Amino acid sequence: MSKLLSELQSELQSESQSDYHSIEKPLRRAFRLPILRLAVLLAVTLGSASLSPALVQAQNLPTLGDTSREDLSPLAERKLGEQIMSVVRRDPDFMDDAPVSEYLNRLGNKMLENRQDARGETNFNFEFFAVRDPVLNAFAFPGGFIGFHSGLILAAQSESELASVMGHEIGHVAQRHIARMLTSQRNDALIPLAALALAVLAARSSPDAAMALVTGGQGLAIQKQLNFGRDAEREADRVGFQILRESGFDPSGMVSFFGRLQNATRNYNDNLPPYLRSHPLTSERIADIQSRLVDQRYRQHADSLEFLLTKARVRVLQDSTIQGLMDASTFFDTQVKSGKLEDQITAKYGQAFVAYKRLDFTSARKLLEQSRKLLEQTPAYKSLLSYSNMYVDLSIAILIGDKQTDAAVKEADKAMRDLPLSRGVALQYAEALLADSKEEKAAVFLRDQIVLYRQEAQLYNLLAKVYAAQGKQAAQHVALAEAYGIEGNLAAALQQLDIARREKDAQYFELSVIDAREREWKEKHKEQLAEEKKRR
């Protein structure tokens, strides 16, 4: 090794080797790393194979602590997650549905009550959301943003199965796998560069050896990333299992869902050898969880009615085309024939939602009332009305769609008192006021809400609609600018401020706000562009 390092050092000092410097100079310009450092890194990396088995095993999963914080601190992790979410929320496949969102967040927060350390040292709030995608999948963004594909929600045959996926994704966030992955990638990215540097030297005596070094370096880096991914998945499974058990769900739900996942991916995933997978074999994961269930007492968990109603809404929202609504209607027509009360409640609700999407408001109101009456027959189900906005959301939407705006305002006003914590109900109340031409009352309500919930872009969008109805053009564009600013679209926000400044009705107050916001957002926009330039 000393001979090799001496040779590298002499090559760095030499200016006469044109073949070598034709490769070495671009490398150093691109990566700003001396070839000698790359060679040492490769030597150290390859030398790790001589560590004791216990040490190697301990290094399979990077330890939490300073190394991951160097690449992504908890605050930076949250900021990155918010930046990603600003893009996701603008995507048409983002399922912006209040009842579905509130159910997922209620379920997620119930599980987090038993795992407060998952919130990290910054104690950030998790956000759970759904996207339109038939594939069975879920994902976690940095900082506690967890998404579920609509196909996964529909595939879950029990609430424990859905909770098992949620626990798994919470495990990824709790163990800071994103930050640790960045640390791992930072180190592993240097391996192929070091291999390339050595290959340049080896090419003089053996072209085959040079090719082997290049290929081996790339393969080693890729394999290390695959190993990290599999270890992270196993760790998330273990943490998710603990959360699932401590939250009162049936832990065997994780096994049954893994089995369903295995069947769904069998056609295109079975031919891959285990060492080329980013996830462990599903059969391995099932065996691991089953071994943990051996000493566990069986715990049955009854599905909540809200879970079943959420699946009904997602089935309609996943595909609201004419054919999609026909398929959903056929499914609910079959389900309503079941002898189970919960199936009839859910099917009637689903049929009402389909009728609403078809703009058949009379049928929608009739079917929703039938579902509600069935629900009220059972006290355990009736209690759902005291905490969930499933029924009131659809009822108000039907009234607004049917132009019964006065009735919609009255129902929304009552719902505000019954469900004071529901953000969906608050937004619907503003929509009902606007539909009923009560613009001034809506403006006062929205401004009060903005004082309490400054980071809700929907409040500003609704306020912009109110100002448009009142003919306040400058105020309308300022409100739109605030909405874009919250979403992270600073270019659009600055454009709206420019439009607002040129409006004839712009008053001194609006102009002061415009000037202040413009200075703030121009600085932030400059920082964003600088960060994007660095990434390139």
Side-chain angles (χ1 to χ4, degrees), residues 155-307:
Q157 297 299 305
S158 70
E159 196 166 27
S160 291
E161 290 188 7
L162 179 60
S164 71
V165 179
M166 188 170 283
H168 173 90
E169 298 303 331
I170 291 173
H172 278 306
V173 178
Q175 300 306 111
R176 303 198 68 226
H177 285 151
I178 298 292
R180 290 159 59 185
M181 180 185 69
L182 289 177
T183 301
S184 176
Q185 287 179 342
R186 179 195 63 182
N187 296 332
D188 296 343
L190 301 179
I191 295 173
L193 302 182
L196 181 58
L198 294 177
V200 171
L201 299 177
R204 297 172 185 166
S205 57
S206 174
D208 290 339
M211 183 59 68
L213 278 168
V214 172
T215 306
Q218 293 174 340
L220 178 61
I222 293 170
Q223 190 61 56
K224 283 174 68 67
Q225 286 303 307
L226 290 173
N227 291 345
F228 178 86
R230 290 194 293 270
D231 287 338
E233 291 299 321
R234 292 187 185 98
E235 189 174 26
D237 284 346
R238 291 191 288 270
V239 173
F241 179 85
Q242 294 171 1
I243 297 174
L244 191 67
R245 181 188 59 198
E246 293 167 4
S247 301
F249 292 98
D250 178 10
S252 63
M254 185 174 280
V255 175
S256 57
F257 192 82
F258 277 158
R260 193 165 293 108
L261 183 64
Q262 187 176 43
N263 292 333
T265 59
R266 180 169 291 160
N267 291 335
Y268 60 87
N269 209 27
D270 271 5
N271 294 328
L272 280 177
Y275 57 84
L276 289 181
R277 297 170 183 263
S278 61
H279 286 52
L281 283 167
T282 307
S283 55
E284 292 179 6
R285 301 171 77 180
I286 291 174
D288 179 56
I289 298 303
Q290 284 178 330
S291 67
R292 295 174 186 277
L293 285 170
V294 172
D295 297 329
Q296 300 293 320
R297 180 180 298 177
Y298 174 71
R299 178 182 294 170
Q300 187 174 11
H301 177 83
D303 294 337
S304 70
L305 184 62
E306 192 177 21
F307 164 69

Side-chain angles (χ1 to χ4, degrees), residues 472-491:
K472 298 178 179 179
Q473 298 300 315
Q476 174 194 355
H477 291 292
V478 170
L480 285 173
E482 293 286 357
Y484 283 126
I486 291 170
E487 292 172 350
N489 192 351
L490 296 181

Side-chain angles (χ1 to χ4, degrees), residues 109-153:
N109 285 311
K110 176 183 177 182
M111 300 184 75
L112 283 165
E113 287 175 2
N114 299 285
R115 192 78 185 197
Q116 288 295 331
D117 59 318
R119 298 184 186 276
E121 59 192 67
T122 56
N123 197 33
F124 47 70
N125 291 322
F126 275 66
E127 181 178 335
F128 303 87
F129 60 95
V131 294
R132 292 178 185 86
D133 196 317
V135 177
L136 273 68
N137 198 17
F139 50 90
F141 290 147
F145 300 94
I146 296 177
F148 297 85
H149 287 198
S150 54
L152 183 143
I153 296 173

